[in-house]
């Protein structure tokens, strides 16, 4: 493991933070975990990554140096006083360690959280939640441990005006582009979006809906087929019309480095989710 550790007097630096969670998948937890770990390192802390098994068939396409960075974090050893951060769905929290445990999580509900979540949350010493709404929902659900709001923020170095648009979008005819970016599911409201779009426009309008929605974190043909079948069912509700407006579907996991360019190629970004937690778009 020579060269992996930062050296101080010939000895590896022991981590201040043990970070338990996903890091290489396309879903919200992986995305925020990558940012948080880089942020902790930038703040002068040393992170030891205990990666969860990636449940997705597809991993995010990341630059080699970023993969090497997280691989190095997995080789570190924790210090005796390192705090333990669980960043995942509450029932995935690890509570067998006698270290100070922090649960970083969320839930897409305005009502309450499952009883199973409550039991796992109350075994943590504190919870970090992204919104005031989440704090209220967890408290209402019965979580007794201290709750702290930690907004997720926006990477303004990546997402900013003047970014060159994603190459595949340049192949779409130059129409007014209405777009969305979701992990495809009923909760994300794809049916609401399509019905509204088909009701508002016809093929005579200079408009195109760009639907980016991958299913189950996968690029597999069966996952893409699932997306297309769902969209086709909604379109079939309008089978009496021959003038439906254009729809362009991206059912792939576009690499993180391409996302600023994806947004740069849109004129309007739609949000139509029935329940939203991270709101990563």
């Amino acid at each position: 493991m020579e060269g992996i550790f930062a050296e101080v007097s010939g000895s590896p630096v022991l981590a201040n933070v043990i970070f338990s969670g996903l890091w290489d998948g396309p879903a919200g937890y992986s995305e925020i975990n990558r940012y948080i770990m880089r942020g902790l390192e930038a703040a002068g802390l040393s992170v030891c990554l205990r990666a969860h098994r990636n449940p997705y068939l597809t991993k995010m396409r990341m630059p080699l140096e970023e993969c090497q960075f997280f691989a190095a974090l997995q080789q570190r050893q924790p210090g005796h006083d390192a705090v333990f951060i669980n960043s995942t769905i509450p029932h995935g929290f690890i509570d067998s360690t006698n270290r100070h445990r922090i649960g970083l999580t969320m839930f897409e509900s305005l009502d309450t959280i499952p009883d199973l979540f409550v039991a796992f949350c109350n075994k943590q010493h504190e919870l970090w939640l992204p919104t005031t709404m989440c704090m209220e929902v967890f408290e209402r659900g019965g979580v007794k441990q201290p709750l702290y709001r930690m907004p997720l923020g926006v990477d303004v170095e990546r997402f900013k005006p003047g970014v060159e648009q994603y190459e595949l979008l340049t192949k779409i005819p130059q129409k007014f582009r209405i777009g969305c970016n979701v992990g495809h599911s009923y909760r994300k409201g794809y049916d609401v979006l399509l019905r509204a779009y088909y009701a508002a426009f016809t093929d005579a309008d200079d408009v195109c809906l760009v639907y980016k929605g991958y299913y189950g974190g996968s690029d597999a043909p069966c996952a893409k087929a699932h997306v297309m079948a769902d969209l086709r069912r909604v379109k079939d509700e309008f089978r009496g019309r021959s003038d439906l407006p254009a729809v362009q579907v991206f059912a792939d996991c576009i690499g993180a480095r391409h996302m600023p360019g994806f947004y740069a190629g849109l004129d309007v970004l739609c949000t139509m989710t029935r329940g939203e937690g991270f709101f990563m778009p």
Side-chain angles (χ1 to χ4, degrees):
M1 299 192 301
E2 184 178 356
I4 291 293
F5 296 109
E7 297 289 326
V8 176
S9 302
S11 300
V13 173
L14 297 180
N16 310 109
V17 175
I18 305 168
F19 199 97
S20 175
L22 293 168
W23 73 273
D24 60 352
Y29 279 107
S30 288
E31 177 79 2
I32 69 164
N33 289 348
R34 291 192 293 269
Y35 271 103
I36 291 171
M37 283 186 279
R38 287 196 297 264
L40 291 170
E41 288 277 314
L45 296 172
S46 178
V47 176
C48 169
L49 171 59
R50 293 293 180 258
H52 289 189
R53 183 182 63 82
N54 188 353
Y56 303 103
L57 297 177
T58 301
K59 295 184 178 182
M60 284 301 281
R61 305 174 184 94
M62 291 182 284
L64 177 60
E65 59 270 22
E66 190 166 5
C67 293
Q68 291 174 334
F69 171 80
F70 290 109
L73 299 192
Q74 294 181 69
Q75 298 298 323
R76 287 186 178 160
Q77 299 301 314
H80 70 278
D81 58 348
V83 299
F84 194 98
I85 298 179
N86 277 299
S87 182
T88 187
I89 301 170
H91 62 263
F93 285 169
I94 295 172
D95 57 32
S96 58
T97 176
N98 59 2
R99 299 175 183 273
H100 184 85
R101 297 183 298 276
I102 299 169
L104 196 162
T105 191
M106 47 68 57
F107 192 58
E108 309 95 333
S109 171
L110 282 172
D111 182 15
T112 187
I113 59 175
D115 291 341
L116 179 65
F117 283 16
V118 178
F120 278 92
C121 286
N122 281 331
K123 291 182 180 179
Q124 304 300 298
H125 294 102
E126 59 186 89
L127 279 297
W128 294 357
L129 306 171
T131 65
T132 301
M133 183 206 81
C134 272
M135 294 176 68
E136 294 171 350
V137 168
F138 275 61
E139 185 176 23
R140 188 159 55 242
V143 175
K144 304 301 182 184
Q145 300 296 66
L147 305 176
Y148 297 96
R149 185 168 65 93
M150 189 185 74
L152 299 179
V154 177
D155 186 349
V156 295
E157 293 299 317
R158 291 179 59 220
F159 297 95
K160 58 186 177 181
V163 176
E164 185 176 351
Q165 69 173 295
Y166 181 47
E167 180 183 4
L168 293 183
L169 285 179
T170 64
K171 300 177 181 180
I172 300 176
Q174 288 298 316
K175 295 174 177 284
F176 187 89
R177 295 172 184 166
I178 300 170
C180 71
N181 172 28
V182 295
H184 181 85
S185 71
Y186 177 77
R187 176 169 63 82
K188 297 294 185 177
Y190 65 86
D191 54 325
V192 175
L193 173 64
L194 279 176
R195 291 188 187 106
Y197 177 67
Y198 288 144
F201 301 105
T202 71
D203 58 4
D205 295 306
D206 187 31
V207 64
C208 178
L209 174 64
V210 181
Y211 182 81
K212 178 186 174 298
Y214 62 87
Y215 175 71
S218 174
D219 274 347
C222 60
K224 296 179 184 179
H226 185 103
V227 173
M228 299 306 296
D230 280 347
L231 301 184
R232 195 175 301 113
R233 276 192 289 271
V234 179
K235 184 177 181 179
D236 285 347
E237 297 175 12
F238 297 81
R239 65 170 61 91
R241 286 176 51 185
S242 59
D243 62 346
L244 292 179
V247 176
Q248 176 67 50
V249 180
F250 291 95
D252 302 274
C253 298
I254 297 175
R257 66 185 184 279
H258 295 307
M259 287 314 303
F262 175 81
Y263 292 127
L266 304 178
D267 295 293
V268 171
L269 180 67
C270 286
T271 302
M272 61 288 173
T273 54
R274 291 181 164 91
E276 192 56 72
F278 292 122
F279 194 59
M280 295 308 294

